[in-house]
Amino acid sequence: MSIKVGIVGYGNLGRGVECAIKQNADMELYGVFSRRNPDSFETLTGAKAYHIDEILNHKDNIDVLILCGGSATDLPHQTPELAKNFNVIDSFDTHAKIPEHFENVDKEAKQGGNIAIISVGWDPGMFSLNRLYAEAVLPDGKDYTFWGKGVSQGHSDAIRRVDGVLDAKQYTIPCDDALAKVRAGENPELSTREKHLRECFVVLKGGADAEKVEKEIKEMPNYFADYDTTVHFISKEELDRDHSGIPHGGFVIRSGKTGLSGENKHIIEYSLKLDSNPEFTSSVLVCYARAAVRMAKEGLCGCKTVFDVAPSYLSPHSGEDLRKRLL
Amino acid sequence: MSIKVGIVGYGNLGRGVECAIKQNADMELYGVFSRRNPDSFETLTGAKAYHIDEILNHKDNIDVLILCGGSATDLPHQTPELAKNFNVIDSFDTHAKIPEHFENVDKEAKQGGNIAIISVGWDPGMFSLNRLYAEAVLPDGKDYTFWGKGVSQGHSDAIRRVDGVLDAKQYTIPCDDALAKVRAGENPELSTREKHLRECFVVLKGGADAEKVEKEIKEMPNYFADYDTTVHFISKEELDRDHSGIPHGGFVIRSGKTGLSGENKHIIEYSLKLDSNPEFTSSVLVCYARAAVRMAKEGLCGCKTVFDVAPSYLSPHSGEDLRKRLL
């Protein structure tokens, strides 16, 4: 019997999950739950839409909910609230607040007897897994995470708030020099500026002062001041034509030593090159949704992360098949 | 209380495990068990050596055994035999025989109430994990494993058996062209010859016919005939000076599509660059030994593989700490 999935929130991530479910024969989309009026929008695949307020009426028909809201305001209350009644997966990605979110979700999931897997995606998610595996294997070492080349939504938004800016896209780019040093096992200490570049494509409003806008962007604290930042002014047409995608990716690299006195060096590198950040995140969410349902069926409950999920739970294939084909 | 580890078999792998245990503060080496007379050799760190026949006398003092014998003749009988009385880890790497080995070990481990984790290392092991994660995340895709650049012991041995050869080292090298196509998401069909090159460094015996040796190597079925093979004749001194290491590594790459009609491409790449193949394998074995002890303490038993072990079990750190630092 296939796993029935509900999607909560229908933006880029929700649509990505809708597409990803289609790629998994053991799963089916039960419906999409949104704060919007369900008659006011169409789903990509014709899946049914419901108002979020009705969700409890569907409790018995849904095996797992994939929460596709934002980490800033939606997930902190939605995940614990829904974990009372459903197995849930979210992609909560405010790293500093993960411990707090974990506690809140764990309490409700345990009371409800449900499984909740939080912070699922690629970072946090697949990158976190790779940091953990690499540290466990090479305890005497150092790890590095680089992001990009990819679009940072937060930084693009920050530019759009600058006076005189009509629209903008910001790319985070790992520095080749830093990557090369890390790959060579040099274990460098890298400043913020040495790790990533920031490249901005900006459309000005009519009459705006380009020089002033550029200065304001480059000196923006937290977002740009600590980086080497390049600003390109382009037309709205160019922005829409050349910068409408949401690519991303990055690298997790651990360099470590083994031997009686650390005489041998090893480099473990994991990298992602993604055409669509939200669609890849969605694909990770969907296979963890499968894991959540399995863990719940085994009688487990509470809040989990990717660290707590045995890899075989992610796959629709049997242990026997996996050992034969992939081990 | 620290985890007490016994090493069975004291070659390159056994010595690597001995060194790796030193890097893990929660583990200690109880002793080394060998078929050799324990008075006939010294351990690297001064660990006690015992004859393998005595091992049952030490049953109550050992939490887990790491089996460092070979896959051809040692592990097929050693792992099931020892799993009757101990939690065990092995690095059984004859891919085609893993299902059979799993069954044999599972039966004995279950009867003994012990955990046995088989086929732990990097391939099988970390590479297998990456094939599984990547397939689960991107079901509509194709994966590729490349090995090298690294020393293949089996191929080096095969050359040494050629008449007129005194000594030899063989390097397996992934083809740059093939790697580039895979990384570009082209999903090529690659023949054996297109994936890897074989480079051989050969020391001839006095009076041997170089041309004849080269021909015999290049035409050797299974080992070399299907590859582009280069043979370099060098002196014994050069071989010992430049080719005494045991480096290895490789790449697992999955290329897949997402979106409503597969419009977005994604590349997941995992790679290893290892100065010492046996020491890295040892490091993987040691963290899975920790996992085995934990799983056994939770009352689990039977044969497991890396697919069945939740990542957090590999780490000496608490879930709380891992979520805070690595998620």
Side-chain angles (χ1 to χ4, degrees), chain A residues 128 135 258 269 271 279 327, chain B residues 128 258 269 271 279 325 327:
Chain A
S128 323
E135 181 185 275
T258 65
E269 175 168 342
S271 71
E279 286 182 10
L327 195 61
Chain B
S128 322
T258 65
E269 176 168 340
S271 70
E279 284 182 10
R325 281 192 306 118
L327 195 62

Side-chain angles (χ1 to χ4, degrees), chain A residues 57-288:
Chain A
N57 302 335
H58 300 271
K59 182 175 166 171
D60 296 339
N61 305 323
I62 293 174
D63 295 311
V64 58
L65 289 178
I66 300 182
L67 311 186
C68 300
S71 297
T73 57
D74 300 326
L75 300 176
H77 64 90
Q78 245 179 19
T79 312
E81 185 62 32
L82 290 167
K84 288 178 188 169
N85 291 291
F86 297 91
N87 299 311
V88 298
I89 309 289
D90 80 19
S91 63
F92 185 80
D93 66 358
T94 314
H95 289 262
K97 291 186 177 168
I98 287 175
E100 182 189 338
H101 188 55
F102 183 92
E103 292 308 325
N104 295 339
V105 174
D106 192 48
K107 195 177 138 218
E108 302 298 345
K110 277 183 180 148
Q111 279 189 8
N114 296 308
I115 286 281
I117 311 182
I118 62 161
S119 300
V120 174
W122 59 275
D123 197 1
M126 303 313 291
F127 273 18
S128 323
L129 276 178
N130 277 279
R131 287 187 285 260
L132 170 49
Y133 276 117
E135 181 185 275
V137 172
L138 295 176
D140 182 6
K142 195 164 158 57
D143 67 52
Y144 296 84
T145 301
F146 293 89
W147 296 275
K149 182 181 177 175
V151 171
S152 163
Q153 211 53 56
H155 287 77
S156 301
D157 289 345
I159 300 174
R160 282 187 211 106
R161 288 191 295 265
V162 171
D163 201 36
V165 171
L166 181 69
D167 203 352
K169 268 285 169 78
Q170 193 269 180
Y171 295 90
T172 304
I173 304 172
C175 296
D176 287 339
D177 262 17
L179 264 175
K181 278 182 189 155
V182 169
R183 284 193 182 125
E186 293 178 20
N187 285 7
E189 290 296 331
L190 296 168
S191 67
T192 298
R193 190 178 299 275
E194 286 170 315
K195 284 187 75 184
H196 296 95
L197 301 169
R198 299 203 174 275
E199 188 170 27
C200 314
F201 293 86
V202 178
V203 182
L204 290 173
K205 287 181 184 160
D209 177 345
E211 211 168 310
K212 190 163 160 277
V213 167
E214 180 165 346
K215 188 167 184 289
E216 198 169 329
I217 293 171
K218 288 185 170 175
E219 293 176 356
M220 200 184 295
N222 303 318
Y223 286 91
F224 294 100
D226 299 333
Y227 297 85
D228 288 339
T229 301
T230 321
V231 177
H232 308 279
F233 293 103
I234 60 174
S235 69
K236 177 72 178 151
E237 291 67 40
E238 285 173 297
L239 191 81
D240 292 345
R241 187 190 66 208
D242 303 335
H243 303 282
S244 64
I246 322 175
H248 220 312
F251 305 82
V252 174
I253 305 176
R254 187 168 181 92
S255 147
K257 292 171 181 176
T258 65
L260 198 56
S261 48
E263 60 273 29
N264 286 310
K265 270 198 307 203
H266 307 278
I267 307 284
I268 304 174
E269 175 168 342
Y270 179 81
S271 71
L272 295 173
K273 211 175 119 197
L274 313 174
D275 271 1
S276 165
N277 183 352
E279 286 182 10
F280 188 81
T281 301
S282 302
S283 295
V284 182
L285 285 165
V286 166
C287 67
Y288 276 93

Side-chain angles (χ1 to χ4, degrees), chain B residues 18-309:
Chain B
E18 183 179 12
C19 295
I21 289 170
K22 280 189 61 180
Q23 294 185 322
N24 289 277
D26 62 331
M27 311 187 93
E28 64 182 272
L29 178 53
Y30 176 79
V32 168
F33 296 86
S34 164
R35 277 185 298 248
R36 286 181 279 169
N37 176 347
D39 297 327
S40 71
F41 66 97
E42 299 262 316
T43 59
L44 284 177
T45 64
K48 279 201 181 165
Y50 303 95
H51 194 275
I52 182 73
D53 290 349
E54 289 184 52
I55 198 163
L56 280 180
N57 301 335
H58 301 270
K59 182 175 165 171
D60 296 339
N61 305 323
I62 293 174
D63 294 311
V64 58
L65 289 178
I66 300 181
L67 311 186
C68 300
S71 296
T73 57
D74 300 326
L75 300 176
H77 64 90
Q78 244 179 20
T79 312
E81 185 62 33
L82 290 167
K84 289 179 187 171
N85 290 291
F86 296 92
N87 298 310
V88 298
I89 310 287
D90 80 19
S91 62
F92 186 79
D93 66 358
T94 314
H95 288 262
K97 291 188 178 167
I98 287 174
E100 182 190 338
H101 188 55
F102 183 91
E103 292 308 323
N104 294 340
V105 174
D106 192 48
K107 195 178 139 218
E108 303 297 345
K110 278 185 179 147
Q111 280 191 6
N114 295 307
I115 285 282
I117 311 181
I118 62 161
S119 302
V120 173
W122 61 274
D123 196 1
M126 303 312 291
F127 273 18
S128 322
L129 277 177
N130 277 280
R131 287 186 285 259
L132 170 50
Y133 276 116
E135 181 185 274
V137 171
L138 295 176
D140 183 7
K142 195 165 157 57
D143 67 51
Y144 296 84
T145 301
F146 293 90
W147 296 275
K149 182 180 177 175
V151 171
S152 163
Q153 212 53 55
H155 287 77
S156 301
D157 290 344
I159 300 174
R160 283 188 210 106
R161 288 191 295 264
V162 170
D163 201 37
V165 171
L166 180 70
D167 203 351
K169 268 284 169 78
Q170 193 270 179
Y171 294 90
T172 304
I173 305 171
C175 297
D176 287 339
D177 263 15
L179 264 175
K181 279 182 188 155
V182 169
R183 284 193 182 125
E186 293 178 21
N187 284 7
E189 291 295 331
L190 297 168
S191 66
T192 298
R193 190 178 301 274
E194 285 169 318
K195 285 187 75 184
H196 296 94
L197 301 169
R198 299 203 174 275
E199 188 171 26
C200 314
F201 293 86
V202 178
V203 182
L204 290 173
K205 286 180 183 161
D209 177 344
E211 212 168 310
K212 190 163 160 276
V213 167
E214 179 165 347
K215 188 167 184 292
E216 196 169 332
I217 292 171
K218 287 185 170 176
E219 293 176 356
M220 199 185 295
N222 303 317
Y223 285 91
F224 295 99
D226 298 333
Y227 297 86
D228 288 339
T229 301
T230 320
V231 177
H232 308 279
F233 293 103
I234 60 174
S235 68
K236 178 71 176 152
E237 290 67 40
E238 284 172 297
L239 190 82
D240 292 345
R241 186 190 68 208
D242 302 334
H243 304 281
S244 65
I246 322 177
H248 220 313
F251 305 82
V252 173
I253 306 176
R254 188 169 182 92
S255 147
K257 293 171 180 175
T258 65
L260 198 57
S261 48
E263 60 273 28
N264 286 311
K265 269 197 307 202
H266 308 277
I267 307 283
I268 304 173
E269 176 168 340
Y270 179 80
S271 70
L272 295 174
K273 212 175 118 197
L274 313 175
D275 271 2
S276 165
N277 182 352
E279 284 182 10
F280 188 82
T281 300
S282 300
S283 295
V284 181
L285 284 165
V286 166
C287 68
Y288 276 93
R290 175 184 291 122
V293 172
R294 288 198 186 165
M295 293 168 89
K297 275 191 182 151
E298 289 185 359
L300 298 169
C301 70
C303 190
K304 309 287 174 188
T305 74
V306 295
F307 296 158
D308 306 307
V309 180

